[in-house]
Structures are given as structure tokens and as C-alpha cells.
Amino acid sequence: MSLRYRHAHADNTDQEVDTAATCYDDHQGVETYKTRHASAADKGSWRNQMMQLALMTGIAFATRIWNLGIAKSIVFSETVFAQQINWMLQGKFYIGAEPPLATILYAFVARMAGYSGDETILYDGHAKSMCSTGLLIGMAASTKWQGALLVVQALLFCSVDAWHNLCNSKIPVKTSLTRVFHQLVLLGLLPVLVYTYFFHWQFSATPNNGDHDLFLDASIRYSLNGNQINATSRYIPFGAMVKIKHVGTNNGYLHSHNELYITGSKQHQVTVYPFDDVNNIWILEKLNSKKKDVEYLKNNDALKLQHWPSGRRLHSHDPKPPVHQGDGFHEVSSYGDPMMNDSNDIWWVRIVSDDEGYDSNYKEKIEARQKIRLFHSKGCYLSSHYQPLPFDHVQQEVTCMGSARQSVSAWTIEQVLPTEEESKDTIQYPSPSFLYKLRYVHRIMWKFDRVVYDRLSKINPSDVKTKPKQKPSRWYSEMKAELLWNDLFGRSVFVILHPALRVFSVTVIFICAALQISAMVTQKCHWKASAEWLQKQFDDSNVKAMILSSCSIILQSFGNTVLPGHATSLSDAFVPLTFACVGVASGLEWAGSNACVLWTMLCRKFNNRVGMNSYPGRKSAVWNKMQLLIFLVFGYMYVMQFLKLELYISGHTPWTLQKCESLNIGDIACDIFPDLETASQDPLAVPKQQVRIPFPGRNKIYMYQLGDEENTQNTIDKDRAAAYQSSYEVAPGPRRYMRALETPGMSTQRVEEDREVILKEAKARAAEERKKKKEEEEKKKEEEKKKKKEKKDDKDHDNKAQQVNEDKEHKEKHKKHKKNPKKHEDDHK
């Protein structure tokens, strides 16, 4: 800032001398006098500026240490960094929500201080040149993703600079292109290299297995020291027992157990389960196979999947799943037994293709650990999302989803358990490259709050809601605050945007927009003098600084809308507000440098009355006084706003409900502060205070009476310590970062014994069904036979009746003929 200020001041001084020569050509006799006083005024201006700089530094320093003390507790973000420092010092691989540079630096300092990463903090509140620019931008991006916006910002400004240079005939094209190349390398490529280097450092420093193993990509997980998996058969024979892993979420294996759905079909649940378990084993069954030779799984084969421990088959039908109940979703369950035939048990296996399509004529063998999809006759794919079932075990829901993409419907047969038909050709996970790790880690970081769950956080395991994104437009339109820490006594620490800085940001953008609009209007209206003057202003270094600052404010502010919500916070407004300060300072410099224009007009109009007082030094002296006045006004605004909000940000002095409501900051829930004023007037009129305290998986409400804060705080501390310790003992290590609780299944021996019983019962059921079917068929045949007989008897009866009728008619005719023979002869003739 000081260097920029000095250069700008030097430029403005030259401008003043040139303008003075134009304004005062008719006063040739006093040039030496004017120059001498101008030089004296410049020296006075320099002293004045140094005094202002020193005073502002003193005020800023004083306000930042005002009532500053050591916090009595740890905030949540500190517990996150503490855990990551432990992992870094222990060499355990992990994935953080932000790039790793900050953790690397913290770990380095901790190591130098003799810390070895062996202390666990369970919860918050638990006490115990261009090249240089490129390097710094890369380090900023390696600490927080907002730093990457600086790369975009630098390249954007460099492109504008390159455009002006290429359009300038005085600058050789070769020189301009050389400068562009240097800018691209040093401000574009170098930050990217620095950014990737720190990830490479993190990967190299953490080669061991760690607490994030269970949701890692398999090839990365089993490349870490301490994690092993046996090689498996390359090709999968039908009849083999397999473990099928969901690739899209990497949260576990296709799983079924004895729990029933409480909605829909109320059949047995099918889930994705992260832990190795016997209930993850399925048997591949070839559909309508009559060959005796070993057959291997091929693309587009029809198959059934039998759950090995229970004998039930993977099944889908019309009922809706418990969570995803929209159109195109079908419930997936395990149903039936080994001897049951159901068309809803049939699936078709398809190799995953890059274009989401498939070739029905492609019959190549499928390899283990190759990405596949399972298609059902309902026209849907076996799928899973991060959303768990809202039941006790909190396991991940499995559905059959129409139009499912690979991100949710890709699976892989990770393990083929030994069989007699096992192939001697085996396969193992390949060692992942650095770029593969880098891409995967960034995918996890982008959706970190959905993938990585901490059982010690206050978030319920069944809640997968992501943090909403920041709305930078609200940073400048209303008071914003973000809570870091508070206690029962009314003390609190908030991040609050300074109101004056919000005004600065809007002012800088407004001035730049007004200058641009004015330039366009004057050119359209052919106001030559004004247009030339405005065009000249755009060449001024201070105006350029204002334009760059306004562009930086817009880019840095709205760039945060692209980033995921968990990676942004209110403190990210610091960067655009810093550019706002630079823009306002440049604006004041620009206003001072152009004050000579107004002064010149006054000199020409009132030349006789001004006389010897109209020299450049007088203008500088006036502007210095104006600078001091502006400085005092801004300093007063800053200090008063700071004192008004100081109680919120220092955590030193207790705050009250009434004082909170008087500020009207929407993001601050004033009910966290005690109602002391009402209590002082009528203690009986004040109801018990209510406070929400974070516990593992929930918020717990405590009620207390004013004056009993200390006892309540002691109770809260005791309860939280017991709750967090208990939760950590239930799910330590990698299990802490899984939503699902580990529920071990039966032993292999018990499963084999049960399968004999299941198979025996299934055969008995099938035999009973065949018997019933045979009886029904026999009964049906008898009924048909009976019906045929009845039909024949009816026919015979009808024929007999008809014969009787005919005989009767014949007899009647015969009687008539006997009575009248002559007529009979006539009839006969």
C-alpha cells in the first residue's frame, strides 16, 4: 500500500506541475516563487501522509487488541484442524474439506514445538515480483479454495493488459507476446504447480491407513500401509460367492439382513453397508442354464443374485422405497428362498460405458473389479445414494432407479470367494497414480459434507442436507454475522462485516459504473471536451486501481457462489472488502489529483482577486487539509462502529437481549442472550432461559434460571464430556466417520449350518408346493372329467328326450290314421 501510494503521489505531482504551467503562463515573473512553495507544500504533504498512516496503524492495532484475551474454550473449526494435525503427524491418510497447506504449516509448527499428535480433542468447548505473486497466489489457493479466484482474477487482468499492449502501436508485438507468455506461466501455471505440489506433499507425508479408510476409493485405500486385500479371480464363474461394492459412493457393499421395511412391501431390507460382513456375500445364479461346464459371467447375461446367509434373492417390484419415493424409483428387497422362482428376481449385467449406453450384442467376459450395472425388467438400474434409511442402523438406501446415471448405479464385483471352479488367473487393484488421487480427493472435497460424516458432530446420521451456499449480494445489502462461540453469561464471539466496509464496496462499484456511463453518454452526445476529459481519466493510475478493485470485488464476491456451501463462510468476505479499501483509497487520490481542474476554473474566473495566492502549492495545501478532514471522518466512523459491535466480537463483556435486539442483525438469534433488564425489574416475570447445546447427533435443550448460569454450565460440561466419550468408545477410529453403525453378522460356520436348514425348508416348501400343485392339477382334471361326463349325460338326456318326443308324435299320427284311413291314403298319395 505504501509503495502504491508513493508512486501514485509522484505521478500526481507531475500532473500538478504540468497543469500549473498551463494555468499560469501569464505569470512568468513568479515561477521561481511558485515552484519553491510547491516543493515546500509537497514536503508538508508527505509528512501529513506519514502522520495519517502512523495514526491509522495505531488505531487499527488498538482496536484489534481491545479486550482481547485467551478463549476459555475451543471452537468447532479448531477441533477439525486439531484432528487433521494429528493425522498429518501420525502419517495417516485423510481427506479434508479444504486444501492442505494450512494443516501442513500447523503440523510443522506443532512438530517444532515437540508435539507428536497423540492428544484427541473430541468436541469444541474442551479446553487444553510476478514470480513471488504467482507463488503467493498458489499458496493462497492451497490454503483455501477462495485463493483460486485470485488466479482467475490475475489472468483476467493480464488479458486486459495484453489487449491494450497489442493495440498499442508503440509497443512491439514481440514484446507484448513475451509479456503475455510470462504472465501465463508465472500467474497461471505457477500457482497450479504450487497447488498440486502441496497435495503431493500431503500424499507423501500420509502413507499409512487412517480414519477415513472406509469411504476411500478401493485402489487408494489398499495402497496405504496397513490395508491389504487378497487378489481375486479375474473372471467370475456362475455359482461363485461374490462381494459387490457400490462404486459411486464408495460407502460399502450390497448388503441384506433380517430387518424388514416398515413401509412398502415390508420385505427384508437391502442396503449399502461399509463394513466387511458375511451378509455382504451373494451367489451368482445363471438363468436357465443347462450346461454342465463352468460358465463365466459375460456382458448382458441374465442372472439372479442369491443372498448367501439367508437364501433370499435380490428382488425389485412396484412399491416405492422409504426415502426416494418419486417417479422412476422402485423398492429393492431380498425375497424368497433358493427354490423359489420369481420373474422380479431377474437382472441383466452390463459393463459400464463412457457414454452411459450399452451394446446388447457385446458378450465379453466381465472381470472382477470392473465397473458394471445391474438392469431390472422394470426398466431401472440398481442404484444407491448417500441418503441413509431412516431406521436404527442408518445404512445407505438401495433402490431401482429409472434413468440412473453411472454416478449412482455403478457397482463392481470386488471379491470372488474361493470355489472349486476358481480361475488361476487373478487380479489385484492397480496402484493409483498421483493424478488419480488428486482427482478423487477433489471430488470428495467438493461434496465433503455429504460424504464425510463425524459421529461426534451435532448432525443426525440420517440428515444428509448440505450447507447452503453463501449469497454475496447480502454481504453488502444487510448486516451479516456468523457465530463462533458463546456462553450462558451472554458473552459471544461473532464474525461481523464492518458496516463502513460494506459502504466502501458499493461506493467503489458505483463510482466506476458512473464514470463508464458518463463516458458513453458524452461520446453519444458529442460533448467533446467532457468526453476527452473522461477518456483521460481512464488513463489515470488511480482510476485504473478503482476499476480493478471493483472488478475484484465482484469476482471475489460472486465467485463464492460457485464453491460448495461447506467451503465458504462469512469470513470469505474479507478479500473483497480489502479490495474495497484499496478502491476507496485510490478514489480519494483521484479526487485530489483532479481538484486542480476546479481550482483552475476559479483562477481564470477570479484571477485579479486571487493574485499571488493562486499557485500550485496553495492547491496542495488545501487538498492536504481536505485529506486530513476525510481521514478524521473515516477514522471516526470506523472507531464508533467498532465500539458499537465490540462486545459481539471480543467475547469479553456479557451482552443482553435488549442490546442485541437494538442492533437488528438478522443472523444473530437474540434469545441466546439473557434478559437481564426484565429480571432486574421483576425477577418473577422472567421465565426460565433455554439454550441448545450440541451433543453427538443432536442438539440438547437445557433450561435454567438467571443467576444459575455457573451450575448449569458445570452440568452441561459434565454431560457433554460423558456423551462424547461414550460416542467415541462406541465408534472409534474409522467407524467414527461412518453414518452406519457396525452390526456384525453371524459366523461363517453358523451361516453354513443355517443354510442347510434353509435349503431343507426350501426343498420341503417346494415339495409341498409341487404336491399342492399336483393335487390342484389332479383336482382340476377330475373336475374337467366330471364336467365332460355331465356334459355327455346332458347330451344323452337331450337325445333321449328328443327320441321320446319323436315316438310320441309318431304314435299320435298313427292313432289319427286309424281313425281316418281314407285321409291317410290321400296324405300318402
Side-chain angles (χ1 to χ4, degrees), residues 31 56 215 220 300 323 349 359 379 387 393 407 461 606 612 645 671 711 726 758 765 772 786 798:
E31 286 298 323
M56 179 57 73
F215 61 79
I220 297 177
N300 290 306
V323 178
V349 61
D359 183 0
Q387 182 67 46
H393 300 303
S407 57
F606 305 105
M612 293 299 295
L645 301 173
D671 58 357
N711 292 333
S726 175
I758 291 170
R765 182 202 56 76
K772 288 182 178 179
K786 186 177 180 181
D798 293 341

Side-chain angles (χ1 to χ4, degrees), residues 481-492:
E482 191 173 88
L483 177 65
L484 296 181
W485 168 84
N486 71 301
D487 64 10
L488 301 182
F489 298 93
R491 294 186 293 259
S492 62

Side-chain angles (χ1 to χ4, degrees), residues 120-138:
T120 300
I121 299 177
L122 299 182
Y123 61 98
D124 55 314
H126 181 62
K128 290 285 191 176
S129 69
M130 193 184 295
C131 183
S132 300
T133 302
L135 286 172
L136 293 175
I137 291 176

Side-chain angles (χ1 to χ4, degrees), residues 588-702:
L588 294 175
E589 290 291 330
W590 170 72
S593 64
N594 283 279
C596 182
V597 176
L598 178 60
W599 190 259
T600 301
M601 295 172 60
L602 293 174
C603 290
R604 290 178 177 175
K605 188 170 183 179
F606 305 105
N607 187 42
N608 294 332
R609 302 175 69 178
V610 177
M612 293 299 295
N613 291 329
S614 56
Y615 55 86
R618 173 64 62 184
K619 193 281 303 181
S620 298
V622 173
W623 174 238
N624 289 340
K625 293 179 180 179
M626 292 178 62
Q627 276 186 318
L628 181 60
L629 178 62
I630 294 173
F631 167 76
L632 293 175
V633 171
F634 276 90
Y636 175 79
M637 291 172 55
Y638 171 79
V639 173
M640 294 306 296
Q641 287 288 348
F642 174 82
L643 293 177
K644 184 178 180 180
L645 301 173
E646 183 266 338
L647 295 180
Y648 276 110
I649 63 179
S650 65
H652 180 268
T653 305
W655 206 231
T656 65
L657 174 66
Q658 288 73 20
K659 290 182 179 180
C660 173
E661 291 176 345
S662 65
L663 288 179
N664 193 26
I665 302 178
D667 290 337
I668 297 180
C670 292
D671 58 357
I672 68 175
F673 299 106
D675 189 0
L676 297 181
E677 294 185 11
T678 305
S680 62
Q681 298 173 3
D682 185 4
L684 298 178
V686 180
K688 285 188 176 182
Q689 302 294 306
Q690 177 176 298
V691 61
R692 292 179 179 86
I693 303 298
F695 274 72
R698 62 194 175 99
N699 279 326
K700 186 176 180 180
I701 298 178
Y702 281 84

Side-chain angles (χ1 to χ4, degrees), residues 98 144 146 467-484 493-499 501-502 556-557 560 564-578 645 649 665-668:
E98 300 286 353
K144 201 167 173 60
Q146 283 73 9
K467 181 181 176 182
K469 293 185 177 182
Q470 291 286 327
K471 296 181 179 179
S473 58
R474 297 180 59 192
W475 291 353
Y476 311 108
S477 61
E478 57 187 68
M479 286 287 289
K480 298 291 295 179
E482 191 173 88
L483 177 65
L484 296 181
V493 176
F494 282 87
V495 175
I496 301 179
L497 299 188
H498 199 290
L501 298 183
R502 293 166 47 228
Q556 291 288 336
S557 297
N560 282 281
H566 69 268
T568 59
S569 64
L570 191 59
S571 59
D572 295 320
F574 173 77
V575 176
L577 293 180
T578 302
L645 301 173
I649 63 179
I665 302 178
D667 290 337
I668 297 180

Side-chain angles (χ1 to χ4, degrees), residues 238 285-296 302:
F238 280 100
E285 296 181 343
K286 178 72 171 179
L287 189 67
N288 299 327
S289 177
K290 297 181 180 180
K291 295 182 179 179
K292 296 183 179 180
D293 297 334
V294 177
E295 293 185 72
Y296 291 96

